[in-house]
């Protein structure tokens, strides 16, 4: 189990003449991932989703707060000793094209981490070969076809499956999937999503799913928790289905309203919310972070930053929370 | 006893595929085949050349500065020695020195560039200072000074010195390449999987840079050939080695090739050899990208 | 020669081939498609199905190693584009057909400001009144919610992905083209930005009276903005019809599969099903028979040997043997 509390991260951007500009990417994010559970983060581009995923996978440092993995706070360990903990959290990259080394065959790509594993557990070459085949079969591709091939000889979907198989070589407990299907062909996307869902059930791995497409979150982690993140702050969270069907924060409502409606199959929700402006990181962050774009803002919103309040299940950071009917409904 | 591991053949077939792929890449353009033929010819001359002729080379006192003929296709020199024989037997020194230079520049440059680029931080600062230092050493004056105490009779010595004076450029280039590659997904994934640094650098980073390094290596060979031939030509180095540069020097300063035609073949032969070898290398360099990139290799 | 009203477009039996080491392979295998004047048509399909190739053919702009091998592209006011050459063609591009390239976000010149690139465009089309062009551009950008003056003074890297996309649309419209082609206008943008861009496309389309072609791999995007929808697979248009009808009652097995593979916000999420198999590449498109048969649940014997002809029934065109069999009155498609 992983608990993150109050994670903050600020990037110092080498600015122009005005000197370095600080970009707060995360402003105190809390969440928990249960064993076998699913946690989804949604938000626009630049809201800190990738940063969060990389921090959880141990690929990026954080400034404040702490990550506790199976009871051990990472801040209490030297970087060298954190590695075994973070190895159990594997990141699936967004881009399956750059995630595999173009000069190595899939066999070589899988053999390296498996050799490490074999050494740790005192097993031999035969085990490695067998395991490579087993993992590829598990992710639904034909080992005989894939093993001797180079990444460029595989389709996007196959590549992403190989990436997942590679992550599974170290028997991880958590897979962090950052926009993992956005670069894959449409007809193949659902297959990869189904695989992630299936791995949750079969191997009991947890999935931290990062996306701006909420409908896919519903597919993989419908039974899990959903966190809506905006400019580094969680603005709404709760059980996925509940937040999707009854969002109370205007930002969540904007995100849900933006999802294209399949006219002919469904009708748009009657209360769709459209932000009044585009995202701008230069907007003030003294009051509600969404205030400049919020159609429902009042004076109070701009004065003070609302904090996350929870009713026990669903939490929101808004002074004027209200359920709105924004998601499409099945056409008759 | 029998090996029956299920996917064992993969690595083996891979090797074979590599060479078959190289063949295919070379055959793709006739110019590449020409390049390979030229380079092979010179390598052959370098290895077997000195065995083809008696040592020392026979002189024909009746034919000083003879014009080209069947017996002497490029004529003879001031002592009546066959110019072609001189060129052929001189190949070994030139090639060996070039090769030694290339190996040293590439090995040092790549190792230092990789280390600096991959580790960044303190390593980077120290190594890049070192590189800057190397780059600021004035090569030619230093060689001039060195040659007063050192005779460079062995081509390897020559190569080592040229190599030590020339790795800076490659180190810089390799560093910037690894800086960009280390941000790539597959390097990050390897780190995340806990693979050792040695594996990441040798198995993941290095092959991605292979075409680049191979190209630099071939270019370093040409550079080194020019440099040493130049040194001998200028007469900076003593003439105990049989070398194309020495021939150029003697033809110009001894035979007056620039003012009279008698020594012209004597001047042209080594020049032609240098040009031909350079051309061969340049034509082969063109194939490097495709050879080391599995996608381009397999069409 | 400039038109002031929306042109119609008729593509007929268009075959485009790319030269590969394995010979010339067809990326488009006899495509016929018409765009009614004043409508927004969408083309959906997977990577490699030939969408961009078809779009480029509308301008006769397929680049070597590709070439248009057969067929015609008739655009009202321009004639058969396939027969245009040189100067005529260059003038048609921009003046009559505006094009927003795939990954327009990255297709601006990084070394010049947007305004400078606009002036270059104006000059290359012999515009005398450059200030008026700038004014038009500013107005268009303002129309799309941007500060026109600032954007024209900006370099590419100073603009966000969504802003660059809008700049791309401005370039396509500023010379007053009435046929606009947008290749993947929202790919790589997040949902809110995507929604904003789509709204702009729709609004501008109506305000200016355009004929618009939108290429996308996202059914949702097509559903949001288009009037009519063509589905491509392996270099063929396999289904074409009014968008709501195609989505509401798809006929071709591929269309059905694609729609079923979309996870949705409403309804039972577990009804979403992945399509088996994978899309063909240029080299693996079957030479004869139906291109979709490897992945088709309805495959019958004839599918292996005969490429199904597109047949049109009540304004809907489908190319499938299984669907063709049900047809009662079959009328071959008219190219009005
Ligand atoms: N320059 C080229 N040389 C060879 N083949 C090409 C070339 N350009 C495109 N193709 C091939 O033509 C086919 C159609 O390509 P096209 O770019 O039209 O696809 P698309 O539907 O636009 O795909 P995407 O969704 O990825 O943009 C593909 O199989 C592609 O590989
Ligand atoms: N390496 C970096 N250096 C500087 N700023 C960064 C870096 N990575 C991300 N950021 C900034 O942090 C913010 C959050 O980015 P990111 O986590 O990538 O968001 P998302 O994944 O939600 O699109 C953005 O403002 C982005 O520009
Ligand atoms: S706090 Fe105010 S500005 Fe912020 S989301 Fe709620 S209503 Fe809008
Ligand atoms: S023609 Fe045959 S294979 Fe092709 S889509 Fe129709 S039923 Fe399937
Ligand atoms: Mg991201
Ligand atoms: Mg395309």
């Amino acid at each position: 189990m992983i608990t993150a509390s109050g994670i903050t991260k600020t990037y110092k951007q080498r600015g122009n003449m005005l000197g370095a500009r600080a970009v707060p990417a995360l402003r105190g994010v809390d969440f928990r991932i249960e064993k076998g559970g699913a946690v989804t983060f949604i938000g626009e581009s630049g809201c800190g989703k990738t940063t969060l995923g990389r921090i959880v996978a141990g690929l990026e440092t954080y400034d404040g707060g702490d990550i506790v993995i199976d009871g051990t706070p990472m801040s209490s360990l030297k970087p060298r000793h954190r590695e075994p903990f973070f190895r159990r959290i594997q990141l699936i990259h967004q881009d399956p094209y750059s995630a595999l080394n173009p000069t190595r065959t899939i066999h070589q790509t899988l053999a390296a981490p498996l050799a490490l594993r074999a050494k740790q557990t005192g097993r031999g070459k035969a085990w490695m070969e067998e395991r490579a085949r087993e993992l590829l079969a598990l992710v639904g591709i034909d080992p005989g076809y894939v093993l001797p091939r180079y990444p460029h000889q595989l389709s996007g979907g196959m590549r992403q499956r190989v990436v997942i198989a590679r992550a599974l070589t170290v028997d991880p407990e958590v897979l962090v999937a950052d926009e993992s299907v956005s670069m894959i062909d449409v007809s193949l996307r659902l297959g990869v999503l189904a695989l992630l869902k299936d791995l949750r059930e079969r191997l009991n791995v947890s999935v931290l799913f990062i996306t701006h497409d909420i409908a896919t979150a519903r597919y993989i982690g419908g039974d899990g928790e959903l966190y809506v993140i905006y400019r580094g702050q969680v603005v709404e969270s709760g059980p996925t289905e509940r937040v999707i069907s009854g969002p109370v924060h205007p930002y969540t409502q904007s995100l849900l309203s933006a999802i294209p409606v399949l006219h002919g199959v469904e009708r748009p929700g009657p209360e769709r919310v459209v932000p009044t402006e585009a995202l701008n990181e230069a907007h003030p962050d003294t009051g509600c972070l969404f205030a400049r774009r919020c159609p429902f803002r009042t004076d109070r919103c701009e004065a003070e930053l609302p904090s996350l309040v929870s009713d026990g299940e669903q939490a929101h950071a808004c002074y004027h929370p209200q359920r709105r009917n924004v998601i499409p409904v099945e056409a008759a | 006893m029998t090996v029956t591991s299920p996917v064992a053949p993969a690595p083996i077939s891979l090797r074979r595929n590599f060479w078959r792929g190289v063949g295919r890449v070379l055959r793709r353009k006739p110019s590449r085949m020409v390049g390979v033929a030229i380079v092979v010819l010179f390598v052959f001359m370098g290895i077997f050349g000195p065995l083809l002729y008696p040592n020392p080379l026979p002189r024909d006192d009746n034919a000083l500065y003879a014009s080209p003929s069947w017996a002497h296709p490029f004529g003879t020199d001031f002592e009546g020695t066959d110019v072609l024989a001189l060129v052929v037997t001189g190949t070994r020194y030139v090639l060996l020195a070039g090769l030694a230079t290339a190996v040293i520049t590439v090995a040092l440059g790549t190792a230092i560039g990789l280390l600096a680029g991959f580790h960044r931080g303190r390593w980077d600062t120290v190594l890049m200072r070192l590189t800057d230092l190397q780059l600021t050493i004035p090569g030619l004056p230093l060689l001039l000074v060195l040659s007063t105490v050192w005779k460079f009779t062995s081509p390897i010595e020559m190569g080592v010195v040229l190599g030590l004076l020339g790795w800076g450029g490659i180190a810089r280039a390799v560093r910037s390449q690894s800086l960009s590659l280390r941000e790539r997904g597959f390097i990050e994934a390897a780190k995340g999987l806990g693979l050792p640094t040695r594996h990441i650098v040798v198995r993941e980073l290095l092959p991605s840079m292979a075409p680049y390094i191979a190209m630099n290596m071939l270019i370093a060979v040409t550079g080194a050939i020019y440099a040493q031939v130049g040194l001998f030509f200028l007469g900076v180095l003593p003439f105990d080695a049989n070398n194309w540069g020495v021939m150029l020097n003697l033809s110009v300063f001894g035979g007056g090739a620039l003012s009279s035609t008698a020594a012209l073949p004597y001047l042209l032969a080594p020049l032609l050899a240098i040009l031909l070898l350079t051309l061969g290398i340049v034509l082969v360099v063109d194939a490097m990208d495709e050879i080391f990139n599995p996608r381009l290799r397999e069409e | 020669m400039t038109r002031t009203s929306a042109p119609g477009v008729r593509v007929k039996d268009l075959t485009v081939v790319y030269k590969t080491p394995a010979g010339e392979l067809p990326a488009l295998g006899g495509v016929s498609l018409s765009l009614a004047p004043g409508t927004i048509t969408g083309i959906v399909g997977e990577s490699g199905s030939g969408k961009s190739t078809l779009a480029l053919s509308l301008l006769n702009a397929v680049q070597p190693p590709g070439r248009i091998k057969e067929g015609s592209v008739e655009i009202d006011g321009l004639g058969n584009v396939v027969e245009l050459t040189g100067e005529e063609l260059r003038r048609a591009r921009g003046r009559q057909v505006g094009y927003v390239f795939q990954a327009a976000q990255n297709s601006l010149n990084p070394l010049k400001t947007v305004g400078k690139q606009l002036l270059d465009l104006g000059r290359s089309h012999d515009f005398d009144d450059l200030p008026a062009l700038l004014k038009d551009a500013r107005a268009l950008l303002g129309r799309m919610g941007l500060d026109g003056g600032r954007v024209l003074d900006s370099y590419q890297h100073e603009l966000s992905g969504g802003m660059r996309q809008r700049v791309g649309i401005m370039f396509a419209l500023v010379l007053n083209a009435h046929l606009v082609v947008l290749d993947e206008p929202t790919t790589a943008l997040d949902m809110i930005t995507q929604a904003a861009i789509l709204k702009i496309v729709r609004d501008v389309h109506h305000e200016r009276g355009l004929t618009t072609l939108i290429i996308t791999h996202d059914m949702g995007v097509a559903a949001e903005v288009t009037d009519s929808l063509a589905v491509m697979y392996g270099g063929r248009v396999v289904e074409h019809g009014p968008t709501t009808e195609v989505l509401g009652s798809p006929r071709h097995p591929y269309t059905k599969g694609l729609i079923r593979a979309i996870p949705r916000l409403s309804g039972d999420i577990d009804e979403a099903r992945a399509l088996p198999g994978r899309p063909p590449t240029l080299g693996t498109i079957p030479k004869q028979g139906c291109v979709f048969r490897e992945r088709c649940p309805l495959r019958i014997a004839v599918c292996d040997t005969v490429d199904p002809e597109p047949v049109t029934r009540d304004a809907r065109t489908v190319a499938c043997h299984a669907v063709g069999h049900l047809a009662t009155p079959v009328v071959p498609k008219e190219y009005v």
Side-chain angles (χ1 to χ4, degrees), chain A residues 9-14 21 23-26 42-54 60 94 178-179 210-212 229 231-232 279 281, chain B residues 183, chain C residues 190:
Chain A
K9 171 82 186 175
T10 301
Y11 288 108
K12 304 221 179 10
Q13 256 179 6
R14 214 145 285 156
R21 194 167 65 96
V23 182
L26 296 173
I42 59 167
E44 269 165 291
S45 284
C47 284
K49 307 182 300 292
T50 297
T51 306
L52 186 74
R54 292 172 52 81
E60 186 84 73
Q94 168 173 12
D178 184 2
E179 313 267 12
I210 294 172
T211 181
H212 57 239
I229 188 169
R231 290 175 73 196
L279 171 67
E281 265 156 22
Chain B
E183 307 293 332
Chain C
D190 64 66

Side-chain angles (χ1 to χ4, degrees), chain C residues 179-210:
Chain C
L179 172 61
V180 175
V181 180
L182 301 130
D183 195 352
E184 307 271 7
T186 61
T187 304
L189 300 178
D190 64 66
M191 291 287 172
I192 291 184
T193 316
Q194 167 171 298
I197 299 283
L198 293 182
K199 181 165 169 6
I200 288 168
V201 168
R202 207 170 29 217
D203 292 351
V204 170
H205 169 86
H206 289 302
E207 282 164 23
R208 303 200 141 211
L210 308 174

Side-chain angles (χ1 to χ4, degrees), chain C residues 18 27 46-53 65 102 184 282:
Chain C
Y18 284 103
E46 293 174 79
S47 197
S49 56
K51 307 182 296 293
S52 300
T53 306
Q102 188 162 0
E184 307 271 7
L282 215 47

Side-chain angles (χ1 to χ4, degrees), chain C residues 46-89:
Chain C
E46 293 174 79
S47 197
S49 56
K51 307 182 296 293
S52 300
T53 306
L54 176 56
L56 286 170
S57 311
L58 292 193
L59 289 151
N60 193 357
V62 179
Q63 296 299 318
R67 68 180 180 93
I68 297 179
K69 194 178 165 199
E70 274 166 24
S72 63
V73 178
E74 298 269 352
I75 300 180
D76 291 343
L78 266 180
N80 185 357
V81 185
V82 176
E83 281 158 11
L84 293 187
T85 48
E87 193 59 8
E88 272 178 314
L89 200 55

Side-chain angles (χ1 to χ4, degrees), chain C residues 25 30 37 41 75 100 124 145 147 157 221 232 253 268 275 319 323 330:
Chain C
L25 298 174
T41 303
I75 300 180
V100 184
S124 71
D147 174 351
H157 69 268
V221 168
M232 287 192 71
D268 183 2
L275 216 72
V323 176
V330 177

Side-chain angles (χ1 to χ4, degrees), chain A residues 185 187 197 218 261 330, chain C residues 46-47 224 264 267 270 295:
Chain A
D185 266 320
S187 74
K197 186 168 147 172
R218 202 171 158 239
V261 176
E330 287 295 290
Chain C
E46 293 174 79
S47 197
E224 273 285 322
R264 300 217 317 273
D270 292 320
R295 305 173 79 184

Side-chain angles (χ1 to χ4, degrees), chain B residues 23-77:
Chain B
R24 192 160 37 207
V25 168
L26 292 178
R27 259 175 279 123
R28 224 169 268 168
K29 283 192 194 168
S31 65
R32 293 174 182 167
M33 293 303 286
V34 172
V36 170
I38 294 174
V39 171
V40 166
L41 174 74
F42 275 94
V43 169
F44 180 83
M45 292 193 324
I47 296 173
F48 300 107
L51 307 179
L52 295 178
Y53 297 94
N55 189 17
L57 291 172
R59 297 173 186 181
D60 182 352
D61 290 335
N62 300 326
L64 303 184
Y65 291 129
S67 337
S69 64
W70 273 115
H72 307 292
F74 285 96
T76 61
D77 72 351

Side-chain angles (χ1 to χ4, degrees), chain A residues 72-147:
Chain A
T72 312
M74 289 302 106
S75 60
S76 69
L77 299 177
K78 287 210 181 72
R80 195 155 40 89
H81 295 134
R82 285 177 206 160
E83 239 184 51
F85 285 92
F86 281 125
R87 195 161 314 151
R88 278 140 61 187
I89 306 169
Q90 286 293 323
L91 179 71
I92 314 290
H93 278 83
Q94 168 173 12
D95 180 3
Y97 296 80
S98 84
L100 293 172
N101 191 334
T103 62
R104 294 170 71 72
T105 60
I106 307 308
H107 182 265
Q108 290 172 316
T109 294
L110 292 179
L114 280 174
L116 208 68
R117 198 77 187 152
K119 212 164 85 186
Q120 286 163 358
T121 52
R123 276 179 276 218
K125 262 208 141 52
W127 174 81
M128 280 169 53
E129 300 295 347
E130 198 180 313
R131 183 78 180 140
R133 290 171 163 271
E134 196 178 299
L135 287 172
L136 289 175
L138 185 71
V139 298
I141 40 183
D142 172 14
Y145 178 82
V146 168
L147 277 172

